[in-house]
Coordinates of all heavy atoms in Angstrom, one line a residue:
I224 N -6.4 -36.1 9.2 CA -5.4 -35.0 9.1 C -5.9 -33.9 9.9 O -6.9 -33.3 9.6 CB -5.1 -34.6 7.6 CG1 -4.9 -35.8 6.7 CG2 -4.0 -33.6 7.6 CD1 -4.8 -35.4 5.2
G225 N -5.2 -33.5 11.0 CA -5.6 -32.4 11.8 C -6.1 -32.8 13.2 O -7.0 -33.7 13.2
S226 N -5.5 -32.3 14.3 CA -6.0 -32.6 15.6 C -6.8 -31.4 16.2 O -6.7 -31.1 17.4 CB -4.9 -33.0 16.5 OG -4.2 -31.9 17.0
G227 N -7.6 -30.7 15.4 CA -8.5 -29.7 15.9 C -9.6 -30.5 16.6 O -9.7 -31.7 16.6
P228 N -10.6 -29.8 17.2 CA -11.7 -30.4 17.9 C -12.4 -31.4 17.0 O -12.8 -32.5 17.4 CB -12.7 -29.3 18.2 CG -11.8 -28.0 18.3 CD -10.7 -28.3 17.3
I229 N -12.5 -31.1 15.7 CA -13.3 -32.1 14.8 C -12.4 -33.3 14.4 O -12.9 -34.4 14.3 CB -13.8 -31.3 13.6 CG1 -14.5 -30.0 14.0 CG2 -14.7 -32.2 12.8 CD1 -15.6 -30.1 15.1
G230 N -11.1 -33.1 14.2 CA -10.2 -34.2 13.9 C -10.3 -35.2 15.1 O -10.3 -36.4 15.0
I247 N -2.9 -37.3 12.4 CA -1.6 -36.6 12.2 C -1.8 -35.1 12.3 O -2.7 -34.5 11.6 CB -1.1 -36.9 10.7 CG1 -1.2 -38.4 10.4 CG2 0.3 -36.4 10.6 CD1 -0.2 -39.3 11.0
E248 N -1.0 -34.5 13.1 CA -1.1 -33.0 13.3 C 0.2 -32.3 13.1 O 1.2 -32.7 13.7 CB -1.6 -32.8 14.8 CG -1.5 -31.4 15.3 CD -2.2 -30.4 14.5 OE1 -3.4 -30.5 14.4 OE2 -1.6 -29.4 14.1
K249 N 0.2 -31.3 12.3 CA 1.5 -30.6 12.0 C 2.0 -29.8 13.2 O 3.2 -29.5 13.2 CB 1.3 -29.7 10.8 CG 0.5 -28.5 11.0 CD 0.6 -27.7 9.7 CE -0.3 -26.5 9.9 NZ -0.2 -25.6 8.8
G250 N 1.1 -29.4 14.1 CA 1.6 -28.6 15.2 C 1.3 -29.3 16.6 O 1.5 -30.5 16.6
C251 N 1.0 -28.5 17.6 CA 0.7 -29.1 18.9 C -0.8 -29.5 18.9 O -1.6 -29.2 17.9 CB 0.9 -28.1 20.0 SG -0.1 -26.7 19.9
V253 N -4.6 -29.5 19.2 CA -5.5 -28.4 18.9 C -4.7 -27.1 18.6 O -4.9 -26.1 19.3 CB -6.7 -28.2 20.0 CG1 -7.7 -29.2 19.9 CG2 -6.1 -28.1 21.4
N254 N -3.9 -27.2 17.6 CA -3.0 -26.2 17.2 C -3.6 -24.8 17.0 O -3.1 -23.8 17.4 CB -2.3 -26.7 16.0 CG -1.0 -25.9 15.6 OD1 -0.3 -25.4 16.5 ND2 -0.8 -25.7 14.3
S255 N -4.8 -24.8 16.3 CA -5.4 -23.5 16.0 C -5.8 -22.8 17.3 O -5.6 -21.7 17.5 CB -6.7 -23.7 15.1 OG -6.3 -24.3 13.9
L256 N -6.5 -23.6 18.2 CA -6.9 -23.0 19.4 C -5.7 -22.5 20.2 O -5.8 -21.5 20.9 CB -7.7 -24.0 20.2 CG -9.2 -24.1 20.0 CD1 -9.5 -24.5 18.5 CD2 -9.9 -25.1 20.9
Y259 N -4.9 -19.1 19.1 CA -5.9 -18.0 19.3 C -5.3 -17.0 20.3 O -4.4 -17.3 21.1 CB -7.2 -18.5 19.8 CG -8.0 -19.3 18.8 CD1 -9.2 -19.9 19.3 CD2 -7.7 -19.4 17.5 CE1 -10.0 -20.6 18.4 CE2 -8.5 -20.2 16.6 CZ -9.6 -20.8 17.1 OH -10.4 -21.5 16.2
P260 N -5.9 -15.7 20.3 CA -5.5 -14.7 21.2 C -5.6 -15.3 22.7 O -6.6 -16.0 23.0 CB -6.6 -13.6 21.0 CG -7.0 -13.8 19.6 CD -7.0 -15.3 19.3
M263 N -8.8 -14.9 24.7 CA -10.1 -15.1 24.0 C -11.2 -15.9 24.7 O -10.9 -16.9 25.4 CB -9.7 -15.7 22.6 CG -10.8 -16.1 21.8 SD -10.9 -17.9 21.8 CE -12.2 -18.2 20.7
F265 N -14.8 -17.9 23.9 CA -15.6 -18.4 22.8 C -17.0 -17.8 22.8 O -17.5 -17.4 23.8 CB -15.8 -20.0 23.0 CG -14.5 -20.7 22.6 CD1 -13.5 -20.9 23.4 CD2 -14.5 -21.3 21.3 CE1 -12.3 -21.5 23.0 CE2 -13.3 -22.0 20.9 CZ -12.2 -22.1 21.8
F266 N -17.6 -17.7 21.6 CA -18.9 -17.2 21.6 C -19.9 -18.3 21.9 O -21.1 -18.1 22.2 CB -19.3 -16.5 20.2 CG -19.1 -17.4 19.0 CD1 -20.0 -18.4 18.7 CD2 -18.0 -17.2 18.2 CE1 -19.8 -19.1 17.6 CE2 -17.8 -18.0 17.1 CZ -18.7 -19.0 16.7
S267 N -19.5 -19.6 21.8 CA -20.3 -20.7 22.1 C -20.3 -21.0 23.5 O -19.3 -20.8 24.2 CB -19.8 -22.0 21.4 OG -19.7 -21.8 20.0
L272 N -19.4 -27.1 22.6 CA -18.1 -27.4 22.1 C -17.6 -28.8 22.5 O -16.5 -29.2 22.2 CB -17.1 -26.4 22.7 CG -17.3 -24.9 22.4 CD1 -16.3 -24.0 23.0 CD2 -17.3 -24.6 20.9
E310 N 3.9 -33.3 13.0 CA 4.2 -34.1 11.8 C 3.2 -33.6 10.7 O 2.0 -33.7 10.9 CB 3.9 -35.6 12.1 CG 4.2 -36.5 10.9 CD 4.2 -38.0 11.3 OE1 4.4 -38.3 12.5 OE2 4.0 -38.8 10.4
E311 N 3.7 -33.1 9.6 CA 2.8 -32.5 8.6 C 2.5 -33.4 7.5 O 3.4 -34.1 7.0 CB 3.5 -31.2 8.1 CG 2.6 -30.5 7.1 CD 3.2 -29.1 6.7 OE1 4.3 -28.8 7.2 OE2 2.5 -28.4 6.0
V312 N 1.2 -33.5 7.1 CA 0.8 -34.3 5.9 C 1.2 -33.5 4.7 O 0.7 -32.4 4.5 CB -0.6 -34.7 6.0 CG1 -1.1 -35.4 4.7 CG2 -0.9 -35.6 7.2
A339 N -9.3 -32.8 8.1 CA -9.9 -31.9 9.1 C -8.9 -30.8 9.4 O -8.5 -30.6 10.6 CB -10.3 -32.7 10.4
T340 N -8.5 -30.1 8.4 CA -7.4 -29.2 8.5 C -7.8 -27.7 8.8 O -6.9 -26.9 8.9 CB -6.6 -29.2 7.2 OG1 -7.5 -29.1 6.1 CG2 -5.8 -30.5 7.0
G341 N -9.1 -27.5 9.0 CA -9.5 -26.1 9.5 C -9.2 -25.0 8.5 O -9.0 -25.2 7.3
F342 N -9.1 -23.8 9.0 CA -8.8 -22.6 8.1 C -7.9 -21.6 8.7 O -7.8 -20.5 8.3 CB -10.1 -21.9 7.6 CG -11.0 -21.4 8.7 CD1 -10.5 -20.4 9.6 CD2 -12.3 -21.8 8.9 CE1 -11.3 -19.9 10.6 CE2 -13.1 -21.3 9.9 CZ -12.6 -20.3 10.8
Y343 N -7.2 -22.0 9.8 CA -6.5 -20.9 10.6 C -5.1 -20.7 10.2 O -4.4 -19.9 10.7 CB -6.6 -21.3 12.1 CG -6.4 -20.1 13.0 CD1 -7.2 -19.0 12.9 CD2 -5.4 -20.1 14.0 CE1 -7.0 -17.9 13.7 CE2 -5.3 -19.0 14.8 CZ -6.1 -17.9 14.7 OH -5.9 -16.8 15.6
D344 N -4.6 -21.5 9.2 CA -3.1 -21.4 8.9 C -2.8 -20.4 7.9 O -1.6 -19.9 7.8 CB -2.7 -22.8 8.3 CG -2.8 -23.9 9.4 OD1 -2.5 -23.6 10.5 OD2 -3.3 -25.0 9.1
S382 N -12.5 -10.7 16.0 CA -11.1 -10.7 16.2 C -10.6 -9.3 16.3 O -9.8 -8.9 17.2 CB -10.3 -11.4 15.1 OG -10.8 -12.7 15.0
L471 N -3.3 -27.2 -0.8 CA -3.2 -28.6 -0.3 C -4.4 -29.4 -0.7 O -4.3 -30.6 -1.2 CB -3.1 -28.5 1.2 CG -2.7 -29.8 2.0 CD1 -1.2 -30.1 1.8 CD2 -3.0 -29.7 3.4
A504 N -14.0 -32.9 7.2 CA -14.7 -32.8 8.5 C -14.3 -31.4 9.0 O -13.1 -31.0 8.9 CB -14.3 -33.9 9.4
G505 N -15.3 -30.7 9.7 CA -15.0 -29.5 10.3 C -15.1 -28.3 9.4 O -15.7 -28.3 8.4
V506 N -14.4 -27.2 9.9 CA -14.7 -25.9 9.2 C -14.0 -25.8 7.8 O -14.4 -24.8 7.1 CB -14.2 -24.7 10.1 CG1 -15.0 -24.7 11.5 CG2 -12.7 -24.8 10.4
V507 N -13.2 -26.7 7.5 CA -12.6 -26.7 6.2 C -13.6 -26.8 5.1 O -13.5 -26.3 3.9 CB -11.5 -27.8 6.0 CG1 -12.1 -29.2 6.1 CG2 -10.7 -27.7 4.7
W516 N -19.5 -22.6 9.3 CA -19.1 -23.7 10.0 C -18.4 -23.4 11.3 O -17.4 -22.6 11.2 CB -18.3 -24.7 9.2 CG -19.1 -25.4 8.1 CD1 -19.0 -25.1 6.8 CD2 -20.2 -26.3 8.2 NE1 -19.9 -25.9 6.1 CE2 -20.7 -26.6 7.0 CE3 -20.8 -27.0 9.3 CZ2 -21.7 -27.5 6.7 CZ3 -21.8 -27.8 9.1 CH2 -22.3 -28.1 7.8
F517 N -18.8 -24.0 12.4 CA -18.1 -23.8 13.7 C -17.9 -25.2 14.3 O -18.4 -26.1 13.8 CB -19.0 -22.9 14.5 CG -19.4 -21.6 13.8 CD1 -20.7 -21.5 13.3 CD2 -18.5 -20.6 13.7 CE1 -21.1 -20.4 12.6 CE2 -18.9 -19.4 13.0 CZ -20.2 -19.3 12.5
I518 N -17.3 -25.2 15.5 CA -17.2 -26.4 16.2 C -18.7 -26.9 16.5 O -19.0 -28.1 16.3 CB -16.5 -26.3 17.6 CG1 -15.1 -25.8 17.3 CG2 -16.4 -27.6 18.3 CD1 -14.3 -25.3 18.6
E519 N -19.5 -26.0 17.0 CA -20.9 -26.3 17.3 C -21.6 -27.1 16.3 O -22.3 -28.1 16.6 CB -21.7 -25.0 17.3 CG -21.3 -23.9 18.2 CD -22.4 -22.9 18.4 OE1 -23.5 -23.0 17.8 OE2 -22.2 -22.0 19.2
Ligands
FAD803 C1 -10.7 -16.7 17.0 C2 -11.7 -17.7 16.7 C3 -12.8 -18.0 17.6 C4 -13.7 -19.0 17.3 N1 -14.7 -19.2 18.2 C5 -15.6 -20.2 18.0 C6 -16.6 -20.5 19.0 O1 -16.8 -19.8 19.9 N2 -17.5 -21.5 18.7 C7 -17.4 -22.3 17.6 O2 -18.1 -23.3 17.4 N3 -16.4 -22.0 16.7 C8 -15.5 -21.0 16.9 N4 -14.5 -20.7 15.9 C9 -14.6 -21.5 14.6 C10 -14.1 -22.9 14.7 O3 -14.8 -23.5 15.7 C11 -12.6 -23.1 14.8 O4 -12.1 -22.6 13.6 C12 -12.3 -24.6 15.1 O5 -10.9 -24.6 15.5 C13 -12.5 -25.5 14.0 O6 -12.2 -26.8 14.3 P1 -11.6 -27.8 13.2 O7 -11.2 -29.1 13.9 O8 -12.4 -27.9 12.0 O9 -10.2 -27.1 12.7 P2 -9.0 -26.6 13.5 O10 -9.2 -26.4 14.9 O11 -8.4 -25.4 12.7 O12 -8.0 -27.8 13.3 C14 -7.3 -28.0 12.1 C15 -5.9 -28.7 12.5 O13 -5.3 -29.2 11.3 C16 -3.9 -29.0 11.4 N5 -3.4 -29.1 10.1 C17 -3.6 -28.3 9.0 N6 -2.9 -28.7 7.9 C18 -2.3 -29.8 8.3 C19 -1.4 -30.8 7.6 N7 -1.1 -30.6 6.3 N8 -0.9 -31.8 8.3 C20 -1.2 -32.0 9.6 N9 -2.0 -31.2 10.3 C21 -2.6 -30.1 9.6 C22 -3.8 -27.6 12.1 O14 -2.5 -27.4 12.7 C23 -5.0 -27.7 13.1 O15 -4.5 -28.1 14.3 C24 -13.6 -19.8 16.2 C25 -12.6 -19.5 15.3 C26 -11.6 -18.5 15.5 C27 -10.5 -18.3 14.5

Side-chain angles (χ1 to χ4, degrees):
I224 311 175
S226 77
I229 312 306
I247 312 282
E248 165 59 56
K249 71 176 180 174
C251 64
V253 285
N254 192 38
S255 300
L256 273 61
Y259 285 176
M263 171 251 184
F265 282 81
F266 58 76
S267 304
L272 303 177
E310 181 171 340
E311 183 171 3
V312 173
T340 46
F342 61 60
Y343 202 56
D344 296 316
S382 305
L471 194 73
V506 299
V507 66
W516 290 109
F517 309 100
I518 301 169
E519 306 197 355

